[in-house]
Amino acid sequence: MTPSLQLRHVEPLFFSPLLSFELSAAGPLNAGLLSEALARREASPGLQRSNLEGWHSEDDFFERQEPACLVLRAHILEAVRKATLQLSPDFDFQQMGIQAEGWINILPPGGMNAPHAHPDWVWSGCYYVHTPEAPGRSGSLEFLDARTHVRALSIEGATCSAGSYRVQPRAGELLLFPSHLKHWVAPNRSEESRVSIAFNARFARRR
């Protein structure tokens, strides 16, 4: 009998998962989040992080009590749990709690976020409140591969061999990715502000 070759298993070594969630009927929630975000900007000068010509709130989103904020926080924590169980089905949430921080980003016309990562966290992500229409890469989120020499030899068309990966987010979309993954936001070429809620999450043993 002639031997035949069969694929037994594919192990995704060192891969970087990008998970996309969609919040259904998000219009009213986004309207509330937008109103709360603009009120926060009026009350605070914000912080300077990776934002260039944009407004970054304090990292207290998970401590705020505004109604829309409370609703979105619950969805973010649900996404973190679902994403974690996708990668580790036996992860023990009875023993491990979630720690999180979050902030509002308002990116005006011409604003952008420089390349950066989020050290000391497990998951990072972003929920998109308002994403104005614009041509080309305007406001897109691009991930950069920091692995040494990964592009020396590549497989054409394979995402795992690409040096970067770009996403054009939509309002109502929540993206989740490993915190070590470097990323940046292309300049906003629209005539409106782009509004999003960014966050980090990690785990701590319950006492």
Side-chain angles (χ1 to χ4, degrees):
M1 185 173 66
T2 304
S4 62
L5 183 68
Q6 294 182 336
L7 176 63
R8 290 182 54 245
H9 178 68
V10 175
E11 187 68 35
L13 291 177
F14 316 122
F15 88 128
S16 297
L18 172 62
L19 296 95
S20 174
F21 298 84
E22 185 174 4
L23 196 58
S24 62
L29 174 61
N30 288 346
L33 289 168
L34 182 59
S35 177
E36 293 172 6
L38 295 177
R40 287 287 310 280
R41 185 175 64 175
E42 287 296 316
S44 169
L47 305 176
Q48 182 62 52
R49 297 288 173 79
S50 67
N51 48 307
L52 303 176
E53 304 299 329
W55 183 79
H56 181 305
S57 76
E58 289 78 12
D59 301 329
D60 60 354
F61 189 78
F62 282 83
E63 301 165 19
R64 307 291 302 185
Q65 297 300 310
E66 291 89 339
C69 170
L70 291 173
V71 172
L72 181 60
R73 275 166 35 188
H75 287 303
I76 290 173
L77 294 176
E78 180 187 8
V80 169
R81 285 190 289 268
K82 286 183 174 180
T84 302
L85 291 173
Q86 279 286 321
L87 302 182
S88 179
D90 297 324
F91 192 90
D92 189 357
F93 277 108
Q94 295 296 322
Q95 298 295 324
M96 303 297 287
I98 300 173
Q99 296 179 341
E101 67 172 11
W103 60 95
I104 301 167
N105 288 312
I106 300 181
L107 204 64
M112 62 173 288
N113 286 81
H116 63 285
H118 299 259
D120 301 322
W121 297 91
V122 174
W123 289 110
S124 292
C126 200
Y127 176 76
Y128 295 89
V129 177
H130 183 62
T131 54
E133 293 284 342
R137 299 185 179 187
S138 173
S140 64
L141 175 63
E142 186 168 12
F143 298 94
L144 307 175
D145 193 342
R147 293 174 297 174
T148 305
H149 302 310
V150 70
R151 294 289 290 167
L153 294 172
S154 64
I155 303 171
E156 187 67 29
T159 304
C160 63
S161 294
S164 64
Y165 184 78
R166 188 172 68 254
V167 180
Q168 191 67 56
R170 306 178 309 276
E173 185 174 18
L174 189 155
L175 296 177
L176 198 60
F177 51 90
S179 297
H180 67 264
L181 197 57
K182 185 172 286 189
H183 55 284
W184 71 291
V185 178
N188 177 11
R189 301 302 186 194
S190 77
E191 296 181 357
E192 303 175 57
S193 290
R194 177 183 180 276
V195 182
S196 60
I197 312 293
F199 58 89
N200 294 317
R202 62 190 174 201
F203 307 108
R205 188 166 298 279
R206 299 182 189 274
R207 296 182 178 179

